[in-house]
Amino acid sequence: MADNFLERHRLDYEKQKAAWIRKKKHLPKKYSRNIQKPDDETL
């Protein structure tokens, strides 16, 4: 295409992806807690 439509959209996509990755790296990690079941399940 003469107006570089695809190239502009590709550049916009790459910028948004880079911003998302930067934001993702700074988010705190979610830790799952392991809840132990009692040995005797007759409670």
Side-chain angles (χ1 to χ4, degrees):
M1 300 181 116
D3 61 353
N4 295 327
F5 176 82
L6 295 175
E7 288 81 2
R8 277 190 317 216
H9 281 278
R10 177 71 180 192
L11 290 175
D12 291 342
Y13 165 77
E14 293 293 339
K15 288 178 187 176
Q16 290 175 355
K17 182 179 176 183
W20 180 79
I21 289 174
R22 277 194 308 274
K23 181 181 174 187
K24 183 180 178 187
K25 286 183 180 179
H26 293 292
L27 292 176
K29 293 184 178 180
K30 294 183 179 179
Y31 295 102
S32 62
R33 293 185 286 171
N34 291 333
I35 300 174
Q36 299 287 334
K37 288 188 177 181
D39 292 335
D40 185 17
E41 294 189 10
T42 60
L43 299 176

